[in-house]
Amino acid sequence: MAGFVGIVVSDPWLQNQFTQVELRSLKSHFLSIQKSRSDPKNGDFTLKDLSLAMGNLKTLSLSEDERTRFLEENFSGLEIQQLEFEQFLRIYLKMQGKAGSKGSTTSAFLKAATTTLLHTISESEKSAYVNHINSYLAEDVFLRKYLPIDPLTDDLFEISKDGVLLCKLINVAVPGTIDERAINTKNLLNPWEKNENHTLCLNSAKAIGCTLVNIGTLDLAEGRPHLVLGLISQIIKIQLLADVNLKKTPQLVELVGNSQDIEELMSLSPEKILLRWMNFQLKKGGLARQVTNFSSDIKDSEAYACLLSVLAPECRSKPHPMDVKDLLERARLVLEHADRMGCKRYLSPKDIVDGSPNLNLAFVAHIFQKRNGLSTQMRQMSFLESQFEDDALVSREERAFRLWINSLGISTYINNVFEDLRNGWLLLEALEKVHPGIVNWRLANKPPIKLPFRKVENCNQVIKIGKELKFSLVNVAGNDIVQGNKKLILAFLWQLMRYNILQLLKNLRFHSHGKEITDADILSWANSQVKSSGKFSRMESFKDKSLSSGIFFLHLLSAVEPRVVNWSLITQGETEEEKKMNASYIISVARKLGCSIFLLPEDIIEVNQKMMLTLTASIMYWHLKRPTASDTRSQPLDCETASLSESTSNLTSDDSTSDSSADEITI
């Protein structure tokens, strides 16, 4: 398992300050500095030169003068010519600390990076998440021997090292995401099997909406606390907020007055809906003030005391929290009230007083799950029904494209593509990610955008770039995106996603001569792989109805990696239940290999040709990425490099094999 070595430094403390992704990037920067200082044309390499070189590190938010002054004040005696990599890392850490001391911001729970400036963890959060895991996974057959985990120790990170717990937790958050038959659960897993679990975990986490920054399979294998805890926090949040939307909890319609307000509510993130719900209940309880965040606004427990009195008046006891002046005692009484109504604790009295945003959000979300206090007499049901009558295929495609765009690492987390993309800015960011340099940012208008014509300007540039990339955009204008035209937005996103996939394949060394990749090439590759493995199944096109059984994709996965499919678990794919079992297994096995995909079992069963293309192309991309066929089985799988969102792309249309949305987009 030589692939697991990574970049190693002699000081264990220093090693633990960085992920392997960060170390690789910093090593690359250091080698460029080393090359520059050894070039005789550059003369003597000085602190100022080092400052300039470190300016290329995007994570350092210091000006050139600030960097130079910092180096002169702290490293005036440094022998630049003898600078070694570990010294460079220490300088970087100190400079990063200097940058962080200038000011800090609190990230949203879901958008929060899985790495932090000082790589510290919150013991309160760790304790809360451990208790959550102990509660929800207590009956799991495999994990039973490890649970309950002691929150006062670091056992959580040790137990996470084989990947099983993280995979199981994802399935608790979004049931059915991972086919548990694909998880390696032997008592003693070898490094390869653990790595497969971590790859499956990371690809599945992206597929449910987690934002993964600077985290790879090796980081999970080493149990890096700040990364593991960051990932767990996002998974748990997704679970707790699963019902905070109109589709799952239509009673939320009580929060608004008319259909226009309902449309606005549907576009809000779960956090904002939760705040609106909380204020709705506080108004019922006679509290004049409003809560605008899950931190400073609830430190005094007044909002909690009012909320719980409205939702569970029968659980009140004396003294009333607001009769107590001491904030810690008041918070304790609030939590006792919550305990009596059956709510799990995600925080301590001190966490309330300290205003811990993540834990307060988790606590409020759990209260909402337990008892939302909304009327079962639903108004305006006809409007809601019309909103949710959308074709299930449209809903699944919106989900797939939304999760794919979020995986690109754009600045704002997208909750709904039909609403969040209407100002054009995030579409421009997505275009820049898949084709760097293509956006003219001087002509772009950054949010918040108050004037409607500014949004149109952004969307006009989106359409202009789409035409440059040869997307089919007949009779389409930027205003169609601003108006939230669902058909247009989905068709544009499909072409962008397909563009990305095809160029990723084109950029592989096997196609370095510049040959454009077409749908037909992908189809031909898949059939040739299956045929060469001795199987007789065949795919006629990406809308071939025989694909619904899943057998062809199982043959394809087995062809590219024979050991990955356990044929004793495979059904004939004749009944709907058998097809679903095969489809679920296919998706998990593909993610286990390292494919970053966002489809659902229903997409395979119904043979959604767009998703069939992305699945096949993902498998092809993973297979061709490996250096040579001879070392296929020794090549480590790395989720962070397997994503279909890392490079630019070009679109080559081939309607003989796939009916693209390009036809549907014509208006």
Side-chain angles (χ1 to χ4, degrees):
M1 297 301 296
F4 277 84
V5 173
I7 296 176
V8 179
V9 295
S10 61
D11 184 342
W13 177 87
L14 191 60
Q15 176 90 38
N16 287 330
Q17 301 309 301
F18 302 96
T19 68
Q20 279 296 312
V21 178
E22 292 168 327
L23 282 173
R24 285 197 293 272
S25 175
L26 290 168
K27 184 74 170 182
S28 175
H29 280 289
F30 176 74
L31 291 175
S32 66
I33 291 173
Q34 197 173 39
K35 183 178 179 181
S36 178
R37 71 183 180 184
S38 62
D39 190 339
K41 296 179 182 178
N42 295 334
D44 290 337
F45 199 82
T46 66
L47 282 175
K48 187 171 180 62
D49 295 323
L50 181 60
S51 172
L52 285 170
M54 296 187 81
N56 295 326
L57 294 166
K58 296 180 180 180
T59 51
L60 289 177
S61 56
L62 294 174
S63 68
E64 182 183 338
D65 288 341
E66 287 174 325
R67 292 194 306 272
T68 302
R69 187 163 57 250
F70 178 80
L71 288 171
E72 289 174 346
E73 290 174 356
N74 294 275
F75 300 97
S76 58
L78 182 68
E79 290 290 337
I80 299 291
Q81 298 304 325
Q82 280 74 47
L83 181 67
E84 296 181 349
F85 183 51
E86 290 194 20
Q87 289 177 296
F88 173 75
L89 291 179
R90 294 180 189 279
I91 292 172
Y92 172 77
L93 271 182
K94 288 189 177 182
M95 195 173 285
Q96 195 182 45
K98 171 69 174 177
S101 67
K102 293 175 63 181
S104 60
T105 57
T106 302
S107 299
F109 195 3
L110 190 61
K111 183 64 181 176
T114 47
T115 182
T116 59
L117 179 63
L118 298 177
H119 295 177
T120 58
I121 64 171
S122 163
E123 289 297 325
S124 292
E125 289 190 26
K126 183 183 76 171
S127 178
Y129 303 149
V130 164
N131 290 332
H132 180 97
I133 290 168
N134 287 340
S135 174
Y136 284 93
L137 290 172
E139 301 303 316
D140 185 87
V141 175
F142 180 82
L143 295 174
R144 193 179 297 161
K145 57 181 175 287
Y146 302 114
L147 302 180
I149 300 170
D150 184 351
L152 299 179
T153 69
D154 285 337
D155 289 353
L156 171 64
F157 310 119
E158 286 299 316
I159 294 170
S160 299
K161 286 183 177 180
D162 64 7
V164 177
L165 183 144
L166 295 173
C167 288
K168 299 270 190 179
L169 189 61
I170 287 172
N171 267 0
V172 169
V174 184
T177 299
I178 297 175
D179 188 319
E180 296 202 3
R181 296 174 296 173
I183 304 173
N184 298 321
T185 54
K186 295 189 308 186
N187 286 329
L188 288 176
L189 298 177
N190 62 42
W192 175 270
E193 291 165 330
K194 291 179 183 179
N195 193 52
E196 284 184 326
N197 283 347
H198 295 138
T199 305
L200 174 60
C201 165
L202 291 178
N203 279 315
S204 300
K206 283 196 292 184
I208 65 171
C210 292
T211 302
L212 305 181
V213 180
N214 288 340
I215 181 170
T217 55
L218 182 56
D219 300 307
L220 296 184
E222 293 177 350
R224 293 179 180 271
H226 63 290
L227 293 174
V228 172
L229 203 65
L231 177 58
I232 288 174
S233 71
Q234 292 191 71
I235 296 170
I236 289 176
K237 182 196 174 185
I238 287 170
Q239 176 188 345
L240 292 175
L241 294 180
D243 294 335
V244 189
N245 59 73
L246 277 167
K247 196 165 188 176
K248 291 287 186 69
T249 311
Q251 294 88 348
L252 283 165
V253 72
E254 189 179 354
L255 305 186
V256 296
N258 53 51
S259 60
Q260 187 174 355
D261 291 334
I262 293 176
E263 289 182 338
E264 178 192 353
L265 188 66
M266 291 175 69
S267 70
L268 294 179
S269 67
E271 297 95 322
K272 291 183 178 178
I273 294 177
L274 205 58
L275 282 171
R276 182 172 289 197
W277 165 80
M278 191 171 182
N279 285 318
F280 177 80
Q281 302 296 351
L282 295 180
K283 187 176 180 181
K284 278 187 186 179
L287 188 65
R289 57 183 281 202
Q290 286 208 330
V291 172
T292 62
N293 58 62
F294 293 105
S295 181
S296 58
D297 284 1
I298 47 185
K299 285 183 175 183
D300 62 4
S301 296
E302 183 180 17
Y304 277 149
C306 181
L307 176 67
L308 296 177
S309 292
V310 171
L311 297 178
E314 76 281 4
C315 296
R316 283 183 298 196
S317 65
K318 293 183 180 180
H320 188 276
M322 296 314 296
D323 294 335
V324 178
K325 292 185 178 180
D326 182 78
L327 294 184
L328 277 174
E329 178 62 16
R330 186 185 296 177
R332 186 185 66 78
L333 292 172
V334 161
L335 293 179
E336 286 182 356
H337 190 163
D339 284 342
R340 286 191 292 274
M341 64 181 281
C343 286
K344 292 183 177 66
R345 287 204 180 189
Y346 284 90
L347 72 179
S348 67
K350 187 176 185 300
D351 295 323
I352 295 178
V353 175
D354 289 345
S356 173
N358 288 354
L359 296 182
N360 277 301
L361 173 59
F363 182 56
V364 175
H366 186 62
I367 293 173
F368 179 88
Q369 277 188 345
K370 192 70 178 178
R371 190 178 300 192
N372 61 43
L374 297 172
S375 172
T376 55
Q377 301 298 316
M378 302 254 301
R379 297 178 293 108
Q380 301 171 320
M381 269 302 295
S382 58
F383 177 82
L384 272 183
E385 287 170 357
S386 68
Q387 290 296 306
F388 298 137
E389 279 174 1
D390 285 341
D391 189 340
L393 180 61
V394 170
S395 178
R396 292 203 306 271
E397 288 188 355
E398 185 277 335
R399 172 192 175 277
F401 298 144
R402 167 167 42 88
L403 295 172
W404 171 70
I405 292 181
N406 283 329
S407 76
L408 295 175
I410 59 177
S411 63
T412 303
Y413 192 86
I414 295 175
N415 292 289
N416 184 312
V417 298
F418 302 131
E419 296 296 329
D420 297 349
L421 301 182
R422 288 170 62 173
N423 65 17
W425 179 264
L426 295 180
L427 276 173
L428 289 173
E429 283 194 19
L431 284 162
E432 184 70 17
K433 289 287 185 181
V434 301
H435 195 304
I438 201 167
V439 176
N440 186 343
W441 292 108
R442 290 178 299 175
L443 302 180
N445 304 292
K446 188 173 183 178
I449 304 173
K450 295 182 179 180
L451 300 175
F453 76 90
R454 297 294 187 193
K455 300 178 183 179
V456 175
E457 287 177 349
N458 281 352
C459 292
N460 281 341
Q461 184 176 179
V462 168
I463 298 300
K464 178 176 177 291
I465 293 172
K467 290 178 178 178
E468 290 175 13
L469 300 178
K470 298 184 173 57
F471 291 1
S472 178
L473 297 168
V474 181
N475 298 327
V476 174
N479 194 51
D480 295 311
I481 297 176
V482 177
Q483 295 299 319
N485 185 313
K486 292 184 178 181
K487 181 180 177 182
L488 164 63
I489 291 172
L490 286 180
F492 185 91
L493 290 176
W494 161 237
Q495 293 185 86
L496 181 60
M497 186 178 188
R498 181 170 173 268
Y499 174 96
N500 183 219
I501 293 169
L502 295 179
Q503 183 64 14
L504 283 169
L505 289 168
K506 176 188 172 184
N507 287 345
L508 291 172
R509 62 186 180 85
F510 294 91
H511 303 281
S512 57
H513 55 284
K515 177 183 179 296
E516 296 289 345
I517 303 300
T518 67
D519 295 3
D521 292 326
I522 299 170
L523 182 71
S524 176
W525 171 85
N527 282 325
S528 66
Q529 290 294 317
V530 172
K531 184 177 180 180
S532 65
S533 70
K535 304 296 183 182
F536 297 101
S537 58
R538 179 176 174 80
M539 173 169 54
E540 297 300 330
S541 73
F542 293 115
K543 53 182 178 180
D544 186 338
K545 293 301 181 184
S546 69
L547 296 177
S548 66
S549 70
I551 299 300
F552 177 83
F553 287 114
L554 289 164
H555 284 161
L556 178 58
L557 289 164
S558 180
V560 299
E561 179 51 75
R563 61 178 292 281
V564 80
V565 175
N566 183 345
W567 288 100
S568 68
L569 303 175
I570 306 307
T571 73
Q572 294 298 314
E574 295 176 351
T575 67
E576 286 300 306
E577 183 60 29
E578 288 182 346
K579 289 178 180 179
K580 187 167 185 179
M581 289 178 67
N582 284 351
S584 173
Y585 188 66
I586 288 165
I587 292 170
S588 291
V589 167
R591 288 176 179 153
K592 184 177 178 177
L593 279 181
C595 301
S596 183
I597 50 178
F598 303 97
L599 72 162
L600 294 172
E602 290 79 5
D603 293 313
I604 296 177
I605 296 168
E606 297 173 15
V607 192
N608 178 344
Q609 58 193 15
K610 299 174 187 176
M611 296 302 118
M612 296 303 92
L613 171 60
T614 60
L615 174 59
T616 310
S618 298
I619 298 169
M620 180 181 179
Y621 179 68
W622 175 83
H623 178 67
L624 297 183
K625 272 181 83 275
R626 297 178 296 179
T628 62
S630 62
D631 57 14
T632 293
R633 288 168 180 76
S634 63
Q635 179 69 14
L637 306 176
D638 193 344
C639 173
E640 71 210 17
T641 59
S643 173
L644 283 176
S645 59
E646 295 170 340
S647 302
T648 58
S649 49
N650 272 322
L651 174 66
T652 301
S653 211
D654 191 333
D655 292 331
S656 65
T657 54
S658 173
D659 293 339
S660 167
S661 291
D663 296 330
E664 302 171 4
I665 203 170
T666 304
I667 297 176

